[in-house]
Amino acid sequence: MVKALSSEDIARRVARDIPNGAYVNLGIGMPMLVADYPVPGREFVLHSENGLLGMGPAPTAGEEDMDLINAGKQPVTILPGGSYFHHADSFAMIRGGHIDISILGAYQVAANGDLANWALPGPKPPAVGGAMDLVAGARQVWVMLATHVAKDGAHKIVERCDLPLTGLNCVHRVYSDLAVIDITPGGLVVTDMVAGLSAAELQANTGAPLTFADSCRALQSDRAA
């Protein structure tokens, strides 16, 4: 039986891929979970665009300080050596190319790396926030998808986005509950896939052609059965 990854599984896997010494912006929502999974023996510095560098894990219940929040207005902690600064300085870091990796959520990701993550059809007003700056300014962009396919069955990984774009040809890697996929000049390359899932099943849940790395690894969920 295939056991899809939980959001916590995905966050843990993303954290393991962050290289030592990297400066990493965590987008609002699911990417914030990455802060809860420090990797022993490795140091990376987490940035929040509201003006925080050196962000730590979420506080324990009852220890929240609402003067210390991330860009999503969630309470956070700060690690020794961390700092606060003006919003404009935070965006100067992003626009100046000082962020190594930006980790964001998405509504759609295209096979060429185009990203759509700020507007859906309907009456709800869109909110782009700093996403356009983050995808243009960071050296790499990683996307986290809680589910490989939307609730209505629509593909999130597609040949071409039909939602308003956040950035062109900007995404380098996608993490979902089913797979890890690199976006390369030659197309989508699956490097990891949930144990028990076949290549044909993953392809059927993806709206663009996949190729599979010779060293494609099996992903295991820590989710309770």
Side-chain angles (χ1 to χ4, degrees):
M1 179 180 176
V2 174
K3 184 185 289 186
L5 302 186
S6 66
S7 295
E8 290 75 17
D9 291 326
I10 300 170
R12 191 179 300 109
R13 171 55 206 271
V14 170
R16 289 206 309 267
D17 283 354
I18 298 174
N20 195 47
Y23 285 77
V24 182
N25 180 279
L26 300 181
I28 294 170
M30 183 178 168
M32 296 308 306
L33 292 174
V34 174
D36 294 339
Y37 297 100
V39 181
R42 194 182 310 167
E43 181 182 18
F44 46 80
V45 181
L46 299 180
H47 170 269
S48 184
E49 62 263 32
N50 59 321
L52 178 59
L53 198 61
M55 186 166 53
T60 55
E63 298 296 324
E64 299 91 345
D65 176 357
M66 292 311 293
D67 286 331
L68 179 54
I69 58 173
N70 60 27
K73 299 183 177 60
Q74 298 167 313
V76 297
T77 59
I78 188 167
L79 300 177
S83 60
Y84 316 101
F85 36 85
H86 192 275
H87 199 214
D89 294 325
S90 184
F91 273 81
M93 294 178 188
I94 299 166
R95 294 170 181 169
H98 303 291
I99 300 299
D100 295 304
I101 304 169
S102 177
I103 303 175
L104 300 166
Y107 297 133
Q108 289 179 330
V109 180
N112 68 347
D114 289 353
L115 172 68
N117 81 342
W118 70 282
L120 286 172
K124 188 175 179 180
V128 68
M132 290 179 180
D133 291 276
L134 286 163
V135 301
R139 294 185 176 90
Q140 288 196 35
V141 175
W142 297 356
V143 163
M144 296 173 67
L145 302 175
T147 57
H148 199 89
V149 177
K151 290 180 180 177
D152 63 359
H155 292 144
K156 293 183 178 179
I157 301 171
V158 294
E159 188 72 53
R160 185 183 298 273
C161 296
D162 56 15
L163 293 173
L165 293 179
T166 308
L168 296 171
N169 193 219
C170 57
V171 180
H172 295 81
R173 184 176 295 166
V174 178
Y175 297 83
S176 80
D177 60 337
L178 299 183
V180 180
I181 301 174
D182 281 342
I183 297 179
T184 76
L188 302 173
V189 179
V190 181
T191 63
D192 302 69
M193 190 167 57
V194 167
L197 186 71
S198 71
E201 289 171 323
L202 183 62
Q203 181 62 78
N205 284 288
T206 308
L210 298 173
T211 58
F212 293 80
D214 293 339
S215 58
C216 188
R217 294 159 293 200
L219 293 168
Q220 301 284 352
S221 174
D222 289 339
R223 193 200 307 253

